[in-house]
Amino acid sequence: MSRRQKTEIPFTRCAVACTSTGALDYFGKIDPHLYQLRMHVHLDTETYQDGTEIDANTFYRWMIDNPSQLPKTSPADLSETIEFFMDLHKKGYNDVIVVTIASALSESANIIRQASVLLSRRMRIHMLDSGTACAPEGALAIKAAKMLNAGSSIEQTLHTLSEMAKKCVSFPCVGTLNYLVKSGRMSLIKGFVANILDIKPILQLGNNELSLKETVRHTDKALDAVVNYIGQHMQQHSVSEAYAMYTGNPEMLQQFLTKLKAVTGLTPSSYPITPLVGAYLGPNAVSIGLFE
């Protein structure tokens, strides 16, 4: 059997999927055996499929142009999710590893679990709750595809992804609380008790928990605070991968990256925060995701 045939064998049985919150649309060329379960964005009375009918730039322009309006989001429902996996089954996949956005942030993981039970006689769906969101979520899916392509078993791949997910942390800096408050998502933030909107919260996301680190009054000080938390994290943990993320303000991103390099030496690649997550952060937010 040739070397080429060996690398193709795992994919005749197992695909990799990711919820569209994983930002795979912005990673450039990805493995052809890697698929996205796309979620939905609701603007006014219109509904758009994330990534195919609306991209991050268009979405954040809408937020900036319509500051008084609240965008809404929804996961793929059960029928859409079943259809998605059945399409993969028709392509010849008997197994699918699917990486999801943190179950603490979305119902997607629960819907996928339901679909896996209903489809259990046709195919095996191996769900990994990433405990995170955005580019780090997508990075886990890309890692899975690379491991399978190199000949790793499904079990080996899931074990590696699970260990990586446990050691992933993100530090979002949000320009305004308006979108979290209006959407009713403030309850997701552990430890937040303030009732004022004119602050810049520094958050931490990891292992399916979103918590408050600090609140700051000015953007420049908020970015300094994020960089300091990253520096503290790096003193205790080695960093193998880093992903910078942003919503609708490239200037804020560049300011953040400059501060980050000066303090930590990190020069990560940058990826848009997908509309599904940005809807709750607003158009002026940055974050970084770190893997040990």
Side-chain angles (χ1 to χ4, degrees), residues 97-122:
I97 293 175
V98 55
V99 180
T100 75
I101 182 175
S103 58
L105 304 180
S106 171
E107 280 296 306
S108 291
N110 184 46
I111 294 170
I112 291 169
R113 286 191 188 98
Q114 294 177 52
S116 69
V117 172
L118 294 172
L119 295 174
S120 60
R121 293 190 176 185
R122 293 177 179 267

Side-chain angles (χ1 to χ4, degrees), residues 233-278:
H233 181 82
M234 292 176 65
Q235 289 177 2
Q236 301 176 33
H237 309 277
S238 61
V239 173
S240 62
E241 299 176 33
Y243 299 86
M245 297 163 276
Y246 65 102
T247 56
N249 191 334
E251 292 78 17
M252 184 178 179
L253 170 68
Q254 289 307 314
Q255 186 181 1
F256 171 62
L257 292 176
T258 299
K259 291 175 179 290
L260 181 68
K261 182 179 180 180
V263 174
T264 69
L266 290 176
T267 56
S269 297
S270 303
Y271 302 87
I273 292 173
T274 60
L276 276 300
V277 177

Side-chain angles (χ1 to χ4, degrees), residues 42-101:
H42 309 282
L43 306 179
D44 296 327
T45 59
E46 300 296 324
T47 296
Y48 304 91
Q49 188 179 70
D50 180 34
T52 59
E53 298 175 337
I54 190 168
D55 62 10
N57 287 335
T58 303
F59 174 74
Y60 293 119
R61 282 199 301 270
W62 182 92
M63 292 188 84
I64 293 168
D65 293 340
N66 299 274
S68 63
Q69 297 190 50
L70 182 68
K72 298 181 180 180
T73 68
S74 62
D77 63 25
L78 182 59
S79 63
E80 291 174 304
T81 302
I82 289 173
E83 182 180 359
F84 172 79
F85 287 119
M86 284 303 299
D87 284 344
L88 294 180
H89 182 65
K90 292 174 183 176
K91 288 181 169 69
Y93 299 112
N94 296 319
D95 288 270
V96 183
I97 293 175
V98 55
V99 180
T100 75
I101 182 175

Side-chain angles (χ1 to χ4, degrees), residues 204-219:
Q204 179 173 322
L205 173 63
N207 284 314
N208 254 315
E209 183 174 283
L210 182 64
S211 59
L212 178 71
K213 297 291 289 182
E214 184 179 351
T215 57
V216 184
R217 287 281 184 175
H218 302 288
T219 298

